[in-house]
Amino acid sequence: MYINGQWLEEGPTFEVYNPATGVSIGSVIDVSNEQVLDAVAAAEAAFPAWSKTTAYERSAILTRCHTLMMERQRTLAELMTTEQGKPLKAAMNEVKYAADFLLWFAEEAKRIYGETIPSARSDQRFLVHKQAVGVVAAITPWNYPISMLTRKLGPALAAGCTAVLKPAEATPLCAVAVFEILHEAGLPAGVANLVTVSDPKPVGEIFCTHRAIRKLTFTGSTAVGKSLAQAAAPQLKRVSMELGGHAPFIVFDDADPVHAAKGVSLVKFLNTGQACISPNRIFVQRKILDSFLDTLQGRIEKLHAGDGMEPSTTIGPLINHAAIEKIDRQVQDAVAQGASLHSGGRRLTEDGLEEGCFYSPTLLSNVSSDMLIYREETFGPVAAVIAFDDDDDVVAMANDTDYGLAAYVYTQNLSRALRTFEALNFGIIGINDINPTSAAAPFGGMKESGLGREGAREGLEEYLETKLGGLSI
Ligand code: NAP
């Protein structure tokens, strides 16, 4: 717990576990409601001075944070693998991605421009000014335990906001490591505060109702995001919501089925399927279905589940046993309703995996719209394939969801690619591309996948108010 520039180490604690082994890897302070209020008060007190620093000063601190994070890339990645489970190589990539947000927003801080607008009156001038929103409350998930923090703190601090952050209960150690960097980079006391808690509800209530907090930024499930947005509504707090997804992955018959299957295998099993942009429904045009399934099955069977610290591991554990149960329920439901199981479909408990949360990489075909997996976010290593015949039908099927975060399209035909891109109701669309994300690109969803964008210029706007001056001269 880091409040007003101080590390607080006294008080009740909760344990943190390695999901690959079930072994405790440490503990953190379980903060009280009074301490959360202290953190908000520290952020409120720090706001006037921090918001008046120049963009160059804020940029210099964020740049130092970027340097420190990249210097510690390996140590941070090892911590992340131990705490969250992803293979070390993926953790190294996440630390780099996380650091990118610090550098990108360090640069962008210097480009928070206002504007002047011509008036219809000759004696009048309009001046548009951008200023920091105020104290920001941030809540982050466990699946990307470093980058989800910097994607919020980078732009918030660049804009001149101060912040209180609550990380996920499963991954507070990564959050502590991020705040150590902020501290060493010289961030003034109170500008960013960390509260680690085992019960998120009381903190959520404080974040949504405290008058000093002007903005809530949340990444997590749609259900929790909706309830927080509702609780923040009476004070009309600004909210950003990065929520769940149910990404369609459409493979047209002019695409190379081997290339497309390779793309699916890479993005679907990334982070053991625990990504908001993970493909949940894979639509394949019937003509190329067999060769697509053969290639995908071959690649899935080569995946090696294990502790992410082992070099041979290509897929890590799930975060906890509840995740295994949810996934298994979806798989069993699909099979009971006629889906074909090509590989996987069970918890892994052999070869030293018995204490961990492992599920075998799974391939299902003949998936249909009445199955749970067609509607519910899976958040696990299950590839669910659906055959289609017609271009218009597949767009309608892809859009038939309350979610609207990511979608993917594979085709060699430019017109088809553009038509589909325009028709899909999703915020992020990869066209023959499985990684349409970057600190420089706006990330966020439509419909029940969220409100607002992170990354890019849009990500900075989320932390800025627009103020108009009308001057009579
Ligand atoms: P979650 O259960 O909603 O939790 C997310 C965060 O909210 C955690 O810090 C959690 O704390 C906290 N939380 C839970 N209930 C709360 C409450 N009543 N009041 C205040 N805070 C509360 O989601 P998750 O299982 O950690 O993350 C997976 C979800 O996040 C998926 O749906 C995924 O798609 C989504 N996600 C979205 C994006 C995106 O950018 N759109 C990125 C990553 C993940 P505890 O850990 O203590 O429960």
Side-chain angles (χ1 to χ4, degrees), residues 103-224:
L103 186 59
W104 201 85
F105 285 107
E107 292 162 347
E108 201 62 9
K110 296 177 233 163
R111 290 185 274 275
I112 300 176
Y113 301 144
E115 59 181 347
T116 58
I117 298 175
S119 165
R121 268 170 43 201
S122 64
D123 68 336
Q124 188 183 46
R125 302 290 180 272
F126 285 128
L127 177 69
V128 179
H129 172 72
K130 297 279 180 177
Q131 69 179 50
V133 164
V135 177
V136 171
I139 300 179
T140 51
W142 47 265
N143 62 340
Y144 286 91
I146 295 191
S147 58
M148 293 302 96
L149 275 65
T150 56
R151 206 164 76 169
K152 296 183 186 311
L153 292 173
L157 300 180
C161 294
T162 56
V164 182
L165 185 137
K166 188 211 91 62
E169 181 193 351
T171 54
L173 298 176
C174 281
V176 168
V178 170
F179 274 73
E180 281 169 356
I181 287 175
L182 299 177
H183 182 79
E184 285 174 45
L187 195 71
V191 172
N193 305 272
L194 174 69
V195 290
T196 48
V197 288
S198 60
D199 178 3
K201 281 197 179 137
V203 188
E205 277 163 31
I206 294 173
F207 282 1
C208 291
T209 55
H210 198 300
R211 292 232 154 246
I213 291 172
R214 290 314 313 148
K215 156 128 195 157
L216 174 69
T217 172
F218 172 80
T219 299
S221 61
T222 293
V224 174

